[in-house]
PDB file of all heavy atoms in Angstrom:
ATOM      1  N   THR A 376      32.908 -14.342   7.918  1.00 95.00           N
ATOM      2  CA  THR A 376      32.687 -14.100   9.338  1.00 95.00           C
ATOM      3  C   THR A 376      31.195 -14.162   9.612  1.00 95.00           C
ATOM      4  O   THR A 376      30.391 -13.891   8.722  1.00 95.00           O
ATOM      5  CB  THR A 376      33.274 -12.739   9.776  1.00 95.00           C
ATOM      6  OG1 THR A 376      33.184 -12.625  11.202  1.00 95.00           O
ATOM      7  CG2 THR A 376      32.553 -11.584   9.126  1.00 95.00           C
ATOM      8  N   VAL A 377      30.859 -14.518  10.848  1.00 95.00           N
ATOM      9  CA  VAL A 377      29.450 -14.546  11.236  1.00 95.00           C
ATOM     10  C   VAL A 377      28.958 -13.112  11.317  1.00 95.00           C
ATOM     11  O   VAL A 377      29.628 -12.241  11.871  1.00 95.00           O
ATOM     12  CB  VAL A 377      29.254 -15.277  12.583  1.00 95.00           C
ATOM     13  CG1 VAL A 377      27.826 -15.146  13.066  1.00 95.00           C
ATOM     14  CG2 VAL A 377      29.625 -16.737  12.437  1.00 95.00           C
ATOM     15  N   TYR A 378      27.790 -12.861  10.752  1.00 86.00           N
ATOM     16  CA  TYR A 378      27.218 -11.520  10.663  1.00 86.00           C
ATOM     17  C   TYR A 378      25.967 -11.471  11.523  1.00 86.00           C
ATOM     18  O   TYR A 378      24.896 -11.842  11.085  1.00 86.00           O
ATOM     19  CB  TYR A 378      26.911 -11.212   9.201  1.00 86.00           C
ATOM     20  CG  TYR A 378      26.430  -9.810   8.914  1.00 86.00           C
ATOM     21  CD1 TYR A 378      27.283  -8.731   9.061  1.00 86.00           C
ATOM     22  CD2 TYR A 378      25.141  -9.573   8.477  1.00 86.00           C
ATOM     23  CE1 TYR A 378      26.865  -7.444   8.770  1.00 86.00           C
ATOM     24  CE2 TYR A 378      24.709  -8.287   8.190  1.00 86.00           C
ATOM     25  CZ  TYR A 378      25.577  -7.235   8.337  1.00 86.00           C
ATOM     26  OH  TYR A 378      25.158  -5.965   8.048  1.00 86.00           O
ATOM     27  N   GLY A 379      26.121 -11.051  12.772  1.00 84.00           N
ATOM     28  CA  GLY A 379      25.019 -11.068  13.708  1.00 84.00           C
ATOM     29  C   GLY A 379      24.219  -9.791  13.799  1.00 84.00           C
ATOM     30  O   GLY A 379      23.478  -9.612  14.756  1.00 84.00           O
ATOM     31  N   VAL A 380      24.355  -8.890  12.840  1.00 80.00           N
ATOM     32  CA  VAL A 380      23.613  -7.630  12.873  1.00 80.00           C
ATOM     33  C   VAL A 380      22.128  -7.921  12.672  1.00 80.00           C
ATOM     34  O   VAL A 380      21.742  -8.650  11.764  1.00 80.00           O
ATOM     35  CB  VAL A 380      24.121  -6.655  11.786  1.00 80.00           C
ATOM     36  CG1 VAL A 380      23.250  -5.421  11.714  1.00 80.00           C
ATOM     37  CG2 VAL A 380      25.558  -6.290  12.033  1.00 80.00           C
ATOM     38  N   CYS A 381      21.302  -7.379  13.545  1.00 78.00           N
ATOM     39  CA  CYS A 381      19.848  -7.575  13.436  1.00 78.00           C
ATOM     40  C   CYS A 381      19.164  -6.231  13.412  1.00 78.00           C
ATOM     41  O   CYS A 381      19.405  -5.419  14.294  1.00 78.00           O
ATOM     42  CB  CYS A 381      19.332  -8.389  14.606  1.00 78.00           C
ATOM     43  SG  CYS A 381      19.695 -10.113  14.460  1.00 78.00           S
ATOM     44  N   PRO A 382      18.291  -5.954  12.534  1.00 76.00           N
ATOM     45  CA  PRO A 382      18.073  -6.722  11.312  1.00 76.00           C
ATOM     46  C   PRO A 382      19.102  -6.312  10.267  1.00 76.00           C
ATOM     47  O   PRO A 382      19.532  -5.163  10.230  1.00 76.00           O
ATOM     48  CB  PRO A 382      16.666  -6.299  10.887  1.00 76.00           C
ATOM     49  CG  PRO A 382      16.515  -4.908  11.412  1.00 76.00           C
ATOM     50  CD  PRO A 382      17.321  -4.857  12.684  1.00 76.00           C
ATOM     51  N   PRO A 383      19.498  -7.243   9.427  1.00 76.00           N
ATOM     52  CA  PRO A 383      20.467  -6.899   8.375  1.00 76.00           C
ATOM     53  C   PRO A 383      19.782  -6.101   7.272  1.00 76.00           C
ATOM     54  O   PRO A 383      18.558  -6.029   7.206  1.00 76.00           O
ATOM     55  CB  PRO A 383      20.918  -8.265   7.860  1.00 76.00           C
ATOM     56  CG  PRO A 383      19.753  -9.153   8.130  1.00 76.00           C
ATOM     57  CD  PRO A 383      19.109  -8.641   9.389  1.00 76.00           C
ATOM     58  N   ASP A 384      20.591  -5.536   6.413  1.00 85.00           N
ATOM     59  CA  ASP A 384      20.082  -4.858   5.221  1.00 85.00           C
ATOM     60  C   ASP A 384      19.213  -5.850   4.460  1.00 85.00           C
ATOM     61  O   ASP A 384      19.566  -7.023   4.315  1.00 85.00           O
ATOM     62  CB  ASP A 384      21.279  -4.429   4.368  1.00 85.00           C
ATOM     63  CG  ASP A 384      20.894  -3.747   3.066  1.00 85.00           C
ATOM     64  OD1 ASP A 384      19.828  -4.067   2.497  1.00 85.00           O
ATOM     65  OD2 ASP A 384      21.669  -2.899   2.599  1.00 85.00           O
ATOM     66  N   GLN A 385      18.087  -5.414   3.955  1.00 88.00           N
ATOM     67  CA  GLN A 385      17.144  -6.333   3.304  1.00 88.00           C
ATOM     68  C   GLN A 385      17.692  -6.982   2.036  1.00 88.00           C
ATOM     69  O   GLN A 385      17.164  -7.992   1.578  1.00 88.00           O
ATOM     70  CB  GLN A 385      15.828  -5.629   3.006  1.00 88.00           C
ATOM     71  CG  GLN A 385      15.942  -4.496   2.010  1.00 88.00           C
ATOM     72  CD  GLN A 385      14.607  -3.872   1.698  1.00 88.00           C
ATOM     73  OE1 GLN A 385      13.574  -4.479   1.907  1.00 88.00           O
ATOM     74  NE2 GLN A 385      14.619  -2.653   1.197  1.00 88.00           N
ATOM     75  N   PHE A 386      18.756  -6.432   1.466  1.00 92.00           N
ATOM     76  CA  PHE A 386      19.325  -7.001   0.250  1.00 92.00           C
ATOM     77  C   PHE A 386      20.640  -7.745   0.508  1.00 92.00           C
ATOM     78  O   PHE A 386      21.230  -8.294  -0.418  1.00 92.00           O
ATOM     79  CB  PHE A 386      19.547  -5.909  -0.803  1.00 92.00           C
ATOM     80  CG  PHE A 386      18.267  -5.214  -1.176  1.00 92.00           C
ATOM     81  CD1 PHE A 386      18.025  -3.913  -0.771  1.00 92.00           C
ATOM     82  CD2 PHE A 386      17.281  -5.880  -1.903  1.00 92.00           C
ATOM     83  CE1 PHE A 386      16.837  -3.269  -1.098  1.00 92.00           C
ATOM     84  CE2 PHE A 386      16.094  -5.244  -2.230  1.00 92.00           C
ATOM     85  CZ  PHE A 386      15.867  -3.942  -1.828  1.00 92.00           C
ATOM     86  N   GLN A 387      21.117  -7.768   1.749  1.00 91.00           N
ATOM     87  CA  GLN A 387      22.374  -8.435   2.106  1.00 91.00           C
ATOM     88  C   GLN A 387      22.254  -9.939   1.881  1.00 91.00           C
ATOM     89  O   GLN A 387      21.285 -10.561   2.291  1.00 91.00           O
ATOM     90  CB  GLN A 387      22.711  -8.168   3.578  1.00 91.00           C
ATOM     91  CG  GLN A 387      23.934  -8.899   4.081  1.00 91.00           C
ATOM     92  CD  GLN A 387      25.216  -8.330   3.547  1.00 91.00           C
ATOM     93  OE1 GLN A 387      25.435  -7.129   3.630  1.00 91.00           O
ATOM     94  NE2 GLN A 387      26.053  -9.167   2.998  1.00 91.00           N
ATOM     95  N   ARG A 388      23.220 -10.504   1.205  1.00 94.00           N
ATOM     96  CA  ARG A 388      23.276 -11.950   0.979  1.00 94.00           C
ATOM     97  C   ARG A 388      24.272 -12.554   1.959  1.00 94.00           C
ATOM     98  O   ARG A 388      25.184 -11.881   2.438  1.00 94.00           O
ATOM     99  CB  ARG A 388      23.717 -12.272  -0.450  1.00 94.00           C
ATOM    100  CG  ARG A 388      22.746 -11.813  -1.508  1.00 94.00           C
ATOM    101  CD  ARG A 388      21.598 -12.745  -1.592  1.00 94.00           C
ATOM    102  NE  ARG A 388      20.611 -12.314  -2.579  1.00 94.00           N
ATOM    103  CZ  ARG A 388      19.601 -13.056  -2.933  1.00 94.00           C
ATOM    104  NH1 ARG A 388      19.429 -14.248  -2.400  1.00 94.00           N
ATOM    105  NH2 ARG A 388      18.737 -12.617  -3.806  1.00 94.00           N
ATOM    106  N   CYS A 389      24.100 -13.827   2.265  1.00 94.00           N
ATOM    107  CA  CYS A 389      25.022 -14.496   3.164  1.00 94.00           C
ATOM    108  C   CYS A 389      25.231 -15.928   2.696  1.00 94.00           C
ATOM    109  O   CYS A 389      24.668 -16.351   1.685  1.00 94.00           O
ATOM    110  CB  CYS A 389      24.501 -14.468   4.607  1.00 94.00           C
ATOM    111  SG  CYS A 389      23.030 -15.468   4.894  1.00 94.00           S
ATOM    112  N   ARG A 390      26.054 -16.657   3.415  1.00 96.00           N
ATOM    113  CA  ARG A 390      26.295 -18.080   3.167  1.00 96.00           C
ATOM    114  C   ARG A 390      25.846 -18.833   4.410  1.00 96.00           C
ATOM    115  O   ARG A 390      25.768 -18.263   5.494  1.00 96.00           O
ATOM    116  CB  ARG A 390      27.794 -18.339   2.949  1.00 96.00           C
ATOM    117  CG  ARG A 390      28.466 -17.557   1.833  1.00 96.00           C
ATOM    118  CD  ARG A 390      28.157 -18.050   0.438  1.00 96.00           C
ATOM    119  NE  ARG A 390      28.388 -19.454   0.209  1.00 96.00           N
ATOM    120  CZ  ARG A 390      29.519 -19.991  -0.226  1.00 96.00           C
ATOM    121  NH1 ARG A 390      30.562 -19.222  -0.475  1.00 96.00           N
ATOM    122  NH2 ARG A 390      29.625 -21.297  -0.430  1.00 96.00           N
ATOM    123  N   ILE A 391      25.565 -20.122   4.253  1.00 93.00           N
ATOM    124  CA  ILE A 391      25.224 -20.949   5.409  1.00 93.00           C
ATOM    125  C   ILE A 391      26.147 -22.153   5.462  1.00 93.00           C
ATOM    126  O   ILE A 391      26.655 -22.612   4.436  1.00 93.00           O
ATOM    127  CB  ILE A 391      23.756 -21.418   5.402  1.00 93.00           C
ATOM    128  CG1 ILE A 391      23.451 -22.293   4.191  1.00 93.00           C
ATOM    129  CG2 ILE A 391      22.805 -20.240   5.482  1.00 93.00           C
ATOM    130  CD1 ILE A 391      22.137 -23.016   4.279  1.00 93.00           C
ATOM    131  N   GLU A 392      26.354 -22.646   6.672  1.00 94.00           N
ATOM    132  CA  GLU A 392      27.185 -23.824   6.854  1.00 94.00           C
ATOM    133  C   GLU A 392      26.511 -25.036   6.234  1.00 94.00           C
ATOM    134  O   GLU A 392      25.293 -25.184   6.296  1.00 94.00           O
ATOM    135  CB  GLU A 392      27.410 -24.111   8.335  1.00 94.00           C
ATOM    136  CG  GLU A 392      28.333 -23.134   9.003  1.00 94.00           C
ATOM    137  CD  GLU A 392      28.512 -23.486  10.463  1.00 94.00           C
ATOM    138  OE1 GLU A 392      29.188 -24.506  10.749  1.00 94.00           O
ATOM    139  OE2 GLU A 392      27.975 -22.757  11.295  1.00 94.00           O
ATOM    140  N   HIS A 393      27.330 -25.911   5.684  1.00 93.00           N
ATOM    141  CA  HIS A 393      26.798 -27.135   5.087  1.00 93.00           C
ATOM    142  C   HIS A 393      26.060 -27.973   6.132  1.00 93.00           C
ATOM    143  O   HIS A 393      25.069 -28.615   5.823  1.00 93.00           O
ATOM    144  CB  HIS A 393      27.921 -27.961   4.445  1.00 93.00           C
ATOM    145  CG  HIS A 393      27.476 -29.326   4.043  1.00 93.00           C
ATOM    146  ND1 HIS A 393      26.635 -29.540   2.971  1.00 93.00           N
ATOM    147  CD2 HIS A 393      27.709 -30.539   4.608  1.00 93.00           C
ATOM    148  CE1 HIS A 393      26.387 -30.843   2.884  1.00 93.00           C
ATOM    149  NE2 HIS A 393      27.021 -31.463   3.857  1.00 93.00           N
ATOM    150  N   ARG A 394      26.487 -27.937   7.391  1.00 91.00           N
ATOM    151  CA  ARG A 394      25.859 -28.789   8.410  1.00 91.00           C
ATOM    152  C   ARG A 394      24.378 -28.488   8.573  1.00 91.00           C
ATOM    153  O   ARG A 394      23.613 -29.343   8.999  1.00 91.00           O
ATOM    154  CB  ARG A 394      26.587 -28.685   9.747  1.00 91.00           C
ATOM    155  CG  ARG A 394      26.396 -27.386  10.475  1.00 91.00           C
ATOM    156  CD  ARG A 394      27.194 -27.353  11.777  1.00 91.00           C
ATOM    157  NE  ARG A 394      27.017 -26.088  12.437  1.00 91.00           N
ATOM    158  CZ  ARG A 394      26.077 -25.848  13.344  1.00 91.00           C
ATOM    159  NH1 ARG A 394      25.253 -26.802  13.709  1.00 91.00           N
ATOM    160  NH2 ARG A 394      25.978 -24.658  13.896  1.00 91.00           N
ATOM    161  N   LEU A 395      23.942 -27.279   8.208  1.00 88.00           N
ATOM    162  CA  LEU A 395      22.519 -26.946   8.284  1.00 88.00           C
ATOM    163  C   LEU A 395      21.732 -27.622   7.172  1.00 88.00           C
ATOM    164  O   LEU A 395      20.531 -27.822   7.290  1.00 88.00           O
ATOM    165  CB  LEU A 395      22.314 -25.432   8.208  1.00 88.00           C
ATOM    166  CG  LEU A 395      22.933 -24.614   9.330  1.00 88.00           C
ATOM    167  CD1 LEU A 395      22.688 -23.136   9.080  1.00 88.00           C
ATOM    168  CD2 LEU A 395      22.407 -25.036  10.675  1.00 88.00           C
ATOM    169  N   ALA A 396      22.402 -27.973   6.075  1.00 90.00           N
ATOM    170  CA  ALA A 396      21.747 -28.614   4.941  1.00 90.00           C
ATOM    171  C   ALA A 396      22.149 -30.075   4.779  1.00 90.00           C
ATOM    172  O   ALA A 396      21.631 -30.759   3.897  1.00 90.00           O
ATOM    173  CB  ALA A 396      22.089 -27.847   3.664  1.00 90.00           C
ATOM    174  N   CYS A 397      23.042 -30.556   5.620  1.00 90.00           N
ATOM    175  CA  CYS A 397      23.558 -31.921   5.507  1.00 90.00           C
ATOM    176  C   CYS A 397      22.463 -32.931   5.827  1.00 90.00           C
ATOM    177  O   CYS A 397      21.876 -32.894   6.909  1.00 90.00           O
ATOM    178  CB  CYS A 397      24.739 -32.116   6.462  1.00 90.00           C
ATOM    179  SG  CYS A 397      25.450 -33.768   6.382  1.00 90.00           S
ATOM    180  N   PRO A 398      22.197 -33.856   4.899  1.00 88.00           N
ATOM    181  CA  PRO A 398      21.152 -34.844   5.150  1.00 88.00           C
ATOM    182  C   PRO A 398      21.539 -35.892   6.190  1.00 88.00           C
ATOM    183  O   PRO A 398      20.681 -36.604   6.694  1.00 88.00           O
ATOM    184  CB  PRO A 398      20.946 -35.487   3.779  1.00 88.00           C
ATOM    185  CG  PRO A 398      22.238 -35.313   3.078  1.00 88.00           C
ATOM    186  CD  PRO A 398      22.797 -34.006   3.573  1.00 88.00           C
ATOM    187  N   ALA A 399      22.824 -35.976   6.532  1.00 90.00           N
ATOM    188  CA  ALA A 399      23.278 -37.001   7.470  1.00 90.00           C
ATOM    189  C   ALA A 399      23.458 -36.474   8.896  1.00 90.00           C
ATOM    190  O   ALA A 399      23.900 -37.204   9.768  1.00 90.00           O
ATOM    191  CB  ALA A 399      24.588 -37.592   6.968  1.00 90.00           C
ATOM    192  N   GLN A 400      23.145 -35.199   9.135  1.00 88.00           N
ATOM    193  CA  GLN A 400      23.289 -34.629  10.466  1.00 88.00           C
ATOM    194  C   GLN A 400      21.942 -34.077  10.930  1.00 88.00           C
ATOM    195  O   GLN A 400      21.176 -33.555  10.127  1.00 88.00           O
ATOM    196  CB  GLN A 400      24.312 -33.478  10.461  1.00 88.00           C
ATOM    197  CG  GLN A 400      25.716 -33.923  10.132  1.00 88.00           C
ATOM    198  CD  GLN A 400      26.681 -32.765  10.242  1.00 88.00           C
ATOM    199  OE1 GLN A 400      26.852 -32.196  11.303  1.00 88.00           O
ATOM    200  NE2 GLN A 400      27.302 -32.418   9.131  1.00 88.00           N
ATOM    201  N   PRO A 401      21.667 -34.187  12.235  1.00 84.00           N
ATOM    202  CA  PRO A 401      20.402 -33.618  12.727  1.00 84.00           C
ATOM    203  C   PRO A 401      20.458 -32.097  12.657  1.00 84.00           C
ATOM    204  O   PRO A 401      21.514 -31.493  12.845  1.00 84.00           O
ATOM    205  CB  PRO A 401      20.326 -34.111  14.171  1.00 84.00           C
ATOM    206  CG  PRO A 401      21.730 -34.431  14.552  1.00 84.00           C
ATOM    207  CD  PRO A 401      22.444 -34.827  13.286  1.00 84.00           C
ATOM    208  N   LEU A 402      19.315 -31.505  12.360  1.00 78.00           N
ATOM    209  CA  LEU A 402      19.234 -30.051  12.297  1.00 78.00           C
ATOM    210  C   LEU A 402      19.359 -29.484  13.705  1.00 78.00           C
ATOM    211  O   LEU A 402      18.679 -29.942  14.620  1.00 78.00           O
ATOM    212  CB  LEU A 402      17.900 -29.627  11.677  1.00 78.00           C
ATOM    213  CG  LEU A 402      17.728 -28.153  11.361  1.00 78.00           C
ATOM    214  CD1 LEU A 402      18.760 -27.708  10.326  1.00 78.00           C
ATOM    215  CD2 LEU A 402      16.335 -27.888  10.832  1.00 78.00           C
ATOM    216  N   PRO A 403      20.223 -28.500  13.911  1.00 78.00           N
ATOM    217  CA  PRO A 403      20.352 -27.912  15.247  1.00 78.00           C
ATOM    218  C   PRO A 403      19.089 -27.137  15.628  1.00 78.00           C
ATOM    219  O   PRO A 403      18.278 -26.790  14.775  1.00 78.00           O
ATOM    220  CB  PRO A 403      21.553 -26.966  15.107  1.00 78.00           C
ATOM    221  CG  PRO A 403      21.622 -26.653  13.667  1.00 78.00           C
ATOM    222  CD  PRO A 403      21.096 -27.856  12.938  1.00 78.00           C
ATOM    223  N   ASP A 404      18.942 -26.894  16.904  1.00 79.00           N
ATOM    224  CA  ASP A 404      17.796 -26.157  17.431  1.00 79.00           C
ATOM    225  C   ASP A 404      18.042 -24.663  17.179  1.00 79.00           C
ATOM    226  O   ASP A 404      18.649 -23.978  17.987  1.00 79.00           O
ATOM    227  CB  ASP A 404      17.659 -26.445  18.923  1.00 79.00           C
ATOM    228  CG  ASP A 404      16.424 -25.838  19.526  1.00 79.00           C
ATOM    229  OD1 ASP A 404      15.542 -25.389  18.765  1.00 79.00           O
ATOM    230  OD2 ASP A 404      16.333 -25.810  20.756  1.00 79.00           O
ATOM    231  N   LEU A 405      17.596 -24.172  16.011  1.00 77.00           N
ATOM    232  CA  LEU A 405      17.882 -22.793  15.623  1.00 77.00           C
ATOM    233  C   LEU A 405      17.099 -21.773  16.440  1.00 77.00           C
ATOM    234  O   LEU A 405      17.575 -20.684  16.684  1.00 77.00           O
ATOM    235  CB  LEU A 405      17.583 -22.595  14.132  1.00 77.00           C
ATOM    236  CG  LEU A 405      18.410 -23.450  13.179  1.00 77.00           C
ATOM    237  CD1 LEU A 405      18.027 -23.156  11.743  1.00 77.00           C
ATOM    238  CD2 LEU A 405      19.884 -23.198  13.377  1.00 77.00           C
ATOM    239  N   TRP A 406      15.891 -22.107  16.803  1.00 71.00           N
ATOM    240  CA  TRP A 406      15.055 -21.192  17.570  1.00 71.00           C
ATOM    241  C   TRP A 406      14.511 -21.934  18.790  1.00 71.00           C
ATOM    242  O   TRP A 406      13.469 -22.579  18.716  1.00 71.00           O
ATOM    243  CB  TRP A 406      13.887 -20.679  16.725  1.00 71.00           C
ATOM    244  CG  TRP A 406      14.319 -19.906  15.531  1.00 71.00           C
ATOM    245  CD1 TRP A 406      14.765 -18.624  15.516  1.00 71.00           C
ATOM    246  CD2 TRP A 406      14.350 -20.348  14.179  1.00 71.00           C
ATOM    247  NE1 TRP A 406      15.067 -18.250  14.231  1.00 71.00           N
ATOM    248  CE2 TRP A 406      14.819 -19.285  13.391  1.00 71.00           C
ATOM    249  CE3 TRP A 406      14.017 -21.545  13.555  1.00 71.00           C
ATOM    250  CZ2 TRP A 406      14.969 -19.385  12.017  1.00 71.00           C
ATOM    251  CZ3 TRP A 406      14.179 -21.645  12.191  1.00 71.00           C
ATOM    252  CH2 TRP A 406      14.649 -20.577  11.445  1.00 71.00           C
ATOM    253  N   PRO A 407      15.200 -21.879  19.945  1.00 76.00           N
ATOM    254  CA  PRO A 407      14.740 -22.616  21.128  1.00 76.00           C
ATOM    255  C   PRO A 407      13.297 -22.304  21.510  1.00 76.00           C
ATOM    256  O   PRO A 407      12.555 -23.189  21.899  1.00 76.00           O
ATOM    257  CB  PRO A 407      15.713 -22.176  22.226  1.00 76.00           C
ATOM    258  CG  PRO A 407      16.941 -21.757  21.488  1.00 76.00           C
ATOM    259  CD  PRO A 407      16.453 -21.174  20.186  1.00 76.00           C
ATOM    260  N   TRP A 408      12.873 -21.058  21.362  1.00 72.00           N
ATOM    261  CA  TRP A 408      11.497 -20.727  21.721  1.00 72.00           C
ATOM    262  C   TRP A 408      10.503 -21.440  20.815  1.00 72.00           C
ATOM    263  O   TRP A 408       9.416 -21.826  21.231  1.00 72.00           O
ATOM    264  CB  TRP A 408      11.257 -19.213  21.701  1.00 72.00           C
ATOM    265  CG  TRP A 408      11.433 -18.585  20.355  1.00 72.00           C
ATOM    266  CD1 TRP A 408      12.568 -18.018  19.848  1.00 72.00           C
ATOM    267  CD2 TRP A 408      10.455 -18.479  19.321  1.00 72.00           C
ATOM    268  NE1 TRP A 408      12.356 -17.574  18.570  1.00 72.00           N
ATOM    269  CE2 TRP A 408      11.058 -17.832  18.217  1.00 72.00           C
ATOM    270  CE3 TRP A 408       9.116 -18.854  19.214  1.00 72.00           C
ATOM    271  CZ2 TRP A 408      10.381 -17.570  17.043  1.00 72.00           C
ATOM    272  CZ3 TRP A 408       8.443 -18.589  18.025  1.00 72.00           C
ATOM    273  CH2 TRP A 408       9.088 -17.951  16.959  1.00 72.00           C
ATOM    274  N   LEU A 409      10.892 -21.656  19.551  1.00 65.00           N
ATOM    275  CA  LEU A 409      10.004 -22.355  18.624  1.00 65.00           C
ATOM    276  C   LEU A 409       9.913 -23.842  18.988  1.00 65.00           C
ATOM    277  O   LEU A 409       8.852 -24.447  18.903  1.00 65.00           O
ATOM    278  CB  LEU A 409      10.496 -22.184  17.190  1.00 65.00           C
ATOM    279  CG  LEU A 409       9.612 -22.770  16.096  1.00 65.00           C
ATOM    280  CD1 LEU A 409       8.211 -22.175  16.147  1.00 65.00           C
ATOM    281  CD2 LEU A 409      10.237 -22.530  14.742  1.00 65.00           C
ATOM    282  N   THR A 410      11.035 -24.412  19.429  1.00 74.00           N
ATOM    283  CA  THR A 410      11.016 -25.800  19.881  1.00 74.00           C
ATOM    284  C   THR A 410      10.083 -25.951  21.082  1.00 74.00           C
ATOM    285  O   THR A 410       9.307 -26.905  21.156  1.00 74.00           O
ATOM    286  CB  THR A 410      12.440 -26.267  20.232  1.00 74.00           C
ATOM    287  OG1 THR A 410      13.256 -26.135  19.061  1.00 74.00           O
ATOM    288  CG2 THR A 410      12.457 -27.706  20.698  1.00 74.00           C
ATOM    289  N   CYS A 411      10.134 -25.010  22.016  1.00 80.00           N
ATOM    290  CA  CYS A 411       9.229 -25.036  23.173  1.00 80.00           C
ATOM    291  C   CYS A 411       7.776 -24.914  22.717  1.00 80.00           C
ATOM    292  O   CYS A 411       6.897 -25.617  23.222  1.00 80.00           O
ATOM    293  CB  CYS A 411       9.560 -23.910  24.146  1.00 80.00           C
ATOM    294  SG  CYS A 411      11.129 -24.141  24.979  1.00 80.00           S
ATOM    295  N   LEU A 412       7.533 -24.025  21.771  1.00 74.00           N
ATOM    296  CA  LEU A 412       6.174 -23.839  21.264  1.00 74.00           C
ATOM    297  C   LEU A 412       5.675 -25.117  20.589  1.00 74.00           C
ATOM    298  O   LEU A 412       4.529 -25.521  20.784  1.00 74.00           O
ATOM    299  CB  LEU A 412       6.133 -22.661  20.287  1.00 74.00           C
ATOM    300  CG  LEU A 412       4.785 -22.370  19.636  1.00 74.00           C
ATOM    301  CD1 LEU A 412       3.743 -22.010  20.693  1.00 74.00           C
ATOM    302  CD2 LEU A 412       4.929 -21.245  18.627  1.00 74.00           C
ATOM    303  N   ARG A 413       6.535 -25.768  19.822  1.00 74.00           N
ATOM    304  CA  ARG A 413       6.141 -27.027  19.184  1.00 74.00           C
ATOM    305  C   ARG A 413       5.779 -28.078  20.226  1.00 74.00           C
ATOM    306  O   ARG A 413       4.810 -28.819  20.079  1.00 74.00           O
ATOM    307  CB  ARG A 413       7.271 -27.552  18.305  1.00 74.00           C
ATOM    308  CG  ARG A 413       7.413 -26.819  17.022  1.00 74.00           C
ATOM    309  CD  ARG A 413       8.500 -27.451  16.182  1.00 74.00           C
ATOM    310  NE  ARG A 413       8.704 -26.687  14.979  1.00 74.00           N
ATOM    311  CZ  ARG A 413       9.864 -26.515  14.406  1.00 74.00           C
ATOM    312  NH1 ARG A 413      10.933 -27.063  14.928  1.00 74.00           N
ATOM    313  NH2 ARG A 413       9.977 -25.814  13.308  1.00 74.00           N
ATOM    314  N   GLY A 414       6.567 -28.136  21.304  1.00 81.00           N
ATOM    315  CA  GLY A 414       6.284 -29.088  22.375  1.00 81.00           C
ATOM    316  C   GLY A 414       4.946 -28.807  23.034  1.00 81.00           C
ATOM    317  O   GLY A 414       4.158 -29.723  23.298  1.00 81.00           O
ATOM    318  N   GLU A 415       4.676 -27.534  23.310  1.00 85.00           N
ATOM    319  CA  GLU A 415       3.397 -27.162  23.925  1.00 85.00           C
ATOM    320  C   GLU A 415       2.243 -27.458  22.978  1.00 85.00           C
ATOM    321  O   GLU A 415       1.190 -27.958  23.396  1.00 85.00           O
ATOM    322  CB  GLU A 415       3.402 -25.684  24.320  1.00 85.00           C
ATOM    323  CG  GLU A 415       2.135 -25.212  24.971  1.00 85.00           C
ATOM    324  CD  GLU A 415       1.729 -26.013  26.214  1.00 85.00           C
ATOM    325  OE1 GLU A 415       2.612 -26.507  26.930  1.00 85.00           O
ATOM    326  OE2 GLU A 415       0.515 -26.127  26.457  1.00 85.00           O
TER     327      GLU A 415
END
């Protein structure tokens, strides 16, 4: 299940979707504010 608790326990491990690491798919915009900052 998606674990949206912020901030998580510092030792908690999780899994990530393959699409985030897939070399054939574009990386999604994980942090929109960072994308805006990069543009500026």
Side-chain angles (χ1 to χ4, degrees):
T376 187
V377 173
Y378 185 68
V380 173
C381 284
D384 178 329
Q385 64 177 339
F386 300 108
Q387 176 73 51
R388 295 282 178 172
C389 68
R390 303 284 307 269
I391 62 168
E392 288 180 71
H393 170 72
R394 72 182 179 92
L395 298 178
C397 180
Q400 295 184 62
L402 188 62
D404 186 12
L405 298 180
W406 298 283
W408 63 267
L409 184 58
T410 301
C411 291
L412 178 62
R413 284 183 184 145
E415 180 56 32

